[in-house]
């Protein structure tokens, strides 16, 4: 039961410094109204950018908490970069599920892309950010994945210089992702329900992406995203 | 768009023989009322036990469909066995999500287990079976995972003779699952939210299970299930 208690007391802060912790409205509400944490309690917080802090709740005011004994630890970012660029699914809960699982598994960056077969062409970034924060807290990470703004496939693929660039494409027989993973830096493109178009595939090849397979199973978009993340993350374990 | 149409016309039958196809109530409804498939249409069906059939809708009666030109193909079962025994999550939708993803990724057998830290101790097997059928259809598989009745951890672990038996246990430093996978037959035990107890861990070791790690990330139960399935399935690709 001790494990549970610790878990509940891991929070997300917009900014953490040795003198001040800035909490978002949701986290303030969660600490003061939902969990009703009392003064004197020591809690743990992360800013999702490598800082983990412990702090003592000194007093709870109407709009802010005074903390004392702020102790900061900096966790270095993993050298293994895993960026997944993925077409948001028509059913948004499937995409939200992908964000949660990608965070747990340890993806460093996620970019939602609009492809020619995409059915969903807009996103509520604020809602998705909350899911990333919740998953970061739940899995007690010090680093929250970077979530980039929605961008068109063509605009996205031209701007990337990460070493291992891959496109999961169903239309061609190709090597399995697991056999092509780059030592440290990987970026995988995952298409929408209808897959990438042949034109998109060719455009990616011109930009130095390698075609990869995720195996013989037909995977939904969000499953392909999670499977890609798992393959790369396991390679780095 | 052709791809979509094909996908919609993949159905599940309780029984398929060269002379007769027996459809469940849900599938009958889906074909006749939801998709309103007209007579003369050729559809594809699976029984989830290795048969894929094409058949012509000859006539639609009040309670059954007459099929003609039933063509049967038998798909051999994979020699790579992957059995996941997993504690159902308190939030049932997380467990349902695991069932869907495990089917897509190609798990052959799933057993829900009750552990000492389990919060959920009952399941609606009929509802879960529908999820397995939907995922089998969606990923166009010929084999649906076997879904066993809920059983206690201790009763389960004594009855297994599969070669590669593993328990994902957090309390001990251990080899990564990816480095211990058996060539063909694997069974992975995944615990509930609170993890396996040390007693359960020891009991499993006595039954020949090996302790494995799924890496340095804290994974939720359902994520650990999907990650285990991915690691084993990818090994076999």
């Amino acid at each position: 039961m001790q494990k549970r208690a610790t878990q509940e007391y891991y929070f997300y802060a917009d900014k953490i410094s040795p003198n001040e912790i800035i909490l978002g409205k949701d986290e303030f509400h969660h600490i003061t109204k939902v969990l009703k944490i009392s003064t004197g309690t020591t809690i743990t917080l992360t800013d999702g950018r490598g800082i983990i802090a412990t702090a003592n709740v000194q007093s709870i005011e109407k709009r802010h908490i005074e903390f004392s004994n702020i102790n900061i630890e900096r966790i270095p970012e993993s050298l293994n970069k895993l960026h997944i660029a993925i077409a948001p699914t028509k059913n948004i809960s499937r995409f939200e599920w992908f964000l949660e699982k990608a965070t747990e598994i340890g993806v460093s960056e996620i970019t939602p892309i609009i492809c020619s077969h995409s059915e969903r062409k807009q996103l509520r970034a604020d809602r998705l950010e909350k899911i990333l924060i919740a998953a970061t807290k739940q899995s007690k990470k010090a680093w929250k994945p970077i979530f980039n703004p929605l961008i068109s496939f063509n605009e996205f693929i031209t701007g990337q210089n990460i070493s291992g660039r891959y496109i999961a494409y169903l239309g061609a027989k190709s090597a399995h992702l697991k056999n092509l993973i780059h030592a440290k830096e990987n970026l995988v493109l995952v298409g929408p329900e209808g897959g990438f178009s042949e034109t998109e595939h060719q455009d990616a090849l011109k930009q130095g992406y390698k075609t990869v397979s995720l195996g013989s199973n037909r995977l939904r978009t969000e499953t392909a995203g999670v499977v890609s993340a798992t393959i790369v993350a396991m390679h780095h374990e």
Side-chain angles (χ1 to χ4, degrees), chain A residues 168-203:
Chain A
Y169 185 64
L170 306 168
K173 192 161 171 59
S174 49
H176 197 285
L177 173 60
K178 70 174 180 176
N179 297 320
L180 291 181
I181 298 172
H182 188 269
K184 295 223 172 295
E185 297 188 321
N186 295 281
L187 161 58
V188 185
L189 303 174
V190 177
E193 282 92 332
F196 288 117
S197 70
E198 176 54 27
T199 308
E200 285 170 333
H201 178 221
Q202 291 301 328
D203 288 347

Side-chain angles (χ1 to χ4, degrees), chain A residues 86 89 94 97-98 190 214 217-230:
Chain A
I86 183 169
T89 49
R94 293 186 172 277
W97 168 82
F98 162 75
V190 177
L214 300 177
N217 296 300
R218 292 173 155 263
L219 304 176
R220 284 180 180 272
T221 292
E222 75 278 10
T223 319
V226 168
V227 163
S228 303
T230 303

Side-chain angles (χ1 to χ4, degrees), chain A residues 96-147:
Chain A
E96 291 176 357
W97 168 82
F98 162 75
L99 293 180
E100 176 181 303
K101 297 317 175 198
T103 304
E104 282 180 61
I105 292 163
V107 165
S108 47
E109 190 166 351
I110 298 165
T111 304
I113 48 174
I114 302 178
C115 304
S116 61
H117 294 164
S118 282
E119 292 193 66
R120 170 174 295 277
K121 287 165 187 167
Q122 48 189 16
L123 284 177
R124 280 192 47 193
D126 56 338
R127 183 181 153 92
L128 300 178
E129 191 63 27
K130 284 183 188 175
I131 288 165
L132 293 169
I133 290 173
T136 301
K137 287 165 62 180
Q138 203 279 331
S139 54
K140 292 199 179 177
K141 290 198 181 300
W143 288 87
K144 176 168 66 68
I146 296 168
F147 187 68

Side-chain angles (χ1 to χ4, degrees), chain A residues 12 23-34 60-65:
Chain A
Y12 180 82
L23 291 172
K25 216 169 62 178
D26 289 352
E27 292 296 89
F28 178 78
H29 179 81
H30 198 67
I31 293 171
T32 59
K33 297 290 193 284
V34 180
I60 297 174
E61 313 292 336
K62 195 169 178 187
R63 287 170 196 276
H64 73 283
I65 298 171

Side-chain angles (χ1 to χ4, degrees), chain A residues 67-80:
Chain A
F67 290 103
S68 59
N69 297 324
I70 302 177
N71 265 299
I72 287 182
E73 189 188 358
R74 279 169 216 279
I75 312 292
E77 191 170 7
S78 170
L79 295 173
N80 300 318

